[in-house]
Amino acid sequence: MSKFFDDTQKAQQWAPQLRENGRLDVVSVIDAIKQSEVTPTGEAEPETKLEIPAEKPGRALLKTSHTDVPLPPSAVEAYGSLRTRVMKLQGAKGIRSLMLTSSVASEGKTLTSLNLAVSCAKLRNLRILLVDGDLRSRGLSRLLKIPEGPGLSDFLGGKVSADKAVLPTEHENLFVLGAGLLNGQPSELFASHLWPEFIAWASQSYGIVIVDAPPIHSLSDAELISAGCDGVLMVVKALSTAREIAQKCVSRIDKRKLLGIVFNGLPSSPGTDYEYYGVSN
């Protein structure tokens, strides 16, 4: 991987080179997606509404739309392309649990995790579980305005069963597990035997498990999370992520689990809606 990184250039400039490398199965480029709806802390500005269906009193359907502004068609198509490749991996390699991470904060991994999960949930007979694995910043939980209550940290702390903490959403096949109330060090929680037990349970109960993990740089949480997952996608913000930081972070991921790199915010070429850099096996 080291030959694809240069100390002085940005991520967009090494994207075409990845196309020539056969070591990655999936490399998808996501079109520029408006990030202004999310504050630096990961909290969405517009309030997410909760609806209580009459047939299930007291059971909230979590809305996954964090803004009234719809995704542009090019972004929808790009997420659909990424979904297709994830589905191919599921069939070819039996991928059931997928961790999304990034080098540093604010690269768009949480929005990418959410939109990929929503895209996958549109397929029939495929139940998706989206997990907020960033127990420190709780980015996904903040983005979706998940109500206070038990979540992943509570399960890892032995305080609740996982099925009691999972929330249904407005999408019939999409379910969300929030971060919960943090008690203890995340690294210790993910190092316990309960994390692989959770992944085993979730993989049996759902078609695909998508984990929004913390950034790799300066934290060990993502490495511990990836140990229990089948595969890893790394989100890189084009024109922003320094090569030496990305190189350092990629080297900390098990190469057998690194499925590809998603470039977020990559400007479109003239005459196209989005760009995709594919890699042959």
Side-chain angles (χ1 to χ4, degrees):
M1 290 296 295
S2 60
K3 67 179 179 179
F4 299 122
F5 296 92
D6 181 85
D7 293 336
T8 60
Q9 296 184 342
K10 302 295 184 179
Q12 183 192 14
Q13 296 167 299
W14 50 267
Q17 294 176 295
L18 287 171
R19 176 170 44 190
E20 303 172 2
N21 185 325
R23 293 173 61 184
L24 297 179
D25 299 301
V26 179
V27 178
S28 184
V29 178
I30 301 300
D31 189 25
I33 297 174
K34 186 167 70 173
Q35 305 287 327
S36 60
E37 293 86 1
V38 185
T39 66
T41 62
E43 184 174 358
E45 294 293 349
E47 183 177 358
T48 300
K49 299 178 182 178
L50 294 175
E51 294 181 348
I52 310 296
E55 67 275 16
K56 295 182 180 180
R59 188 61 166 170
L61 280 183
L62 188 67
K63 279 200 170 184
T64 57
S65 300
H66 62 280
T67 173
D68 292 331
V69 180
L71 287 175
S74 57
V76 174
E77 184 178 358
Y79 280 117
S81 177
L82 178 59
R83 177 190 67 188
T84 298
R85 285 153 181 81
V86 170
M87 292 299 102
K88 288 182 178 179
L89 280 174
Q90 185 189 39
K93 297 186 177 182
I95 300 295
R96 298 295 294 273
S97 54
L98 184 63
M99 182 189 89
L100 272 72
T101 186
S102 60
S103 298
V104 294
S106 301
E107 293 198 75
K109 67 174 180 61
T110 297
L111 279 176
T112 301
S113 299
L114 172 60
N115 288 322
L116 175 60
V118 170
S119 182
C120 290
K122 293 179 180 179
L123 299 176
R124 290 185 177 182
N125 303 320
L126 186 65
R127 284 158 47 93
I128 309 299
L129 178 62
L130 178 60
V131 180
D132 188 352
D134 196 340
L135 303 185
R136 300 174 191 269
S137 70
R138 303 174 67 251
L140 181 65
S141 299
R142 292 174 180 269
L143 182 65
L144 296 181
K145 297 287 187 180
I146 294 178
E148 290 188 7
L152 179 60
S153 59
D154 300 277
F155 169 79
L156 295 178
K159 296 181 178 181
V160 67
S161 61
D163 61 311
K164 301 297 183 183
V166 172
L167 297 173
T169 73
E170 60 184 333
H171 301 280
E172 182 180 1
N173 293 328
L174 178 59
F175 301 82
V176 174
L177 177 61
L181 301 175
L182 182 58
N183 293 296
Q185 289 295 324
S187 57
E188 295 178 1
L189 294 175
F190 285 116
S192 75
H193 67 94
L194 289 176
W195 172 240
E197 287 185 12
F198 166 77
I199 289 295
W201 168 81
S203 298
Q204 291 179 355
S205 304
Y206 299 89
I208 295 181
V209 182
I210 298 176
V211 182
D212 177 35
I216 299 175
H217 192 57
S218 301
L219 291 174
S220 62
D221 300 7
E223 295 175 74
L224 294 170
I225 293 173
S226 67
C229 295
D230 297 329
V232 177
L233 285 178
M234 186 167 177
V235 178
V236 174
K237 188 172 183 179
L239 301 177
S240 176
T241 307
R243 286 174 181 245
E244 67 173 0
I245 294 178
Q247 179 184 24
K248 178 180 178 180
C249 293
V250 166
S251 68
R252 293 169 61 177
I253 300 175
D254 186 343
K255 298 303 183 294
R256 296 169 298 179
K257 294 189 176 184
L258 182 59
L259 304 177
I261 298 173
V262 178
F263 287 94
N264 183 42
L266 187 63
S268 300
S269 295
T272 63
D273 290 329
Y274 70 98
E275 297 181 11
Y276 168 75
Y277 292 90
V279 180
S280 59
N281 292 331

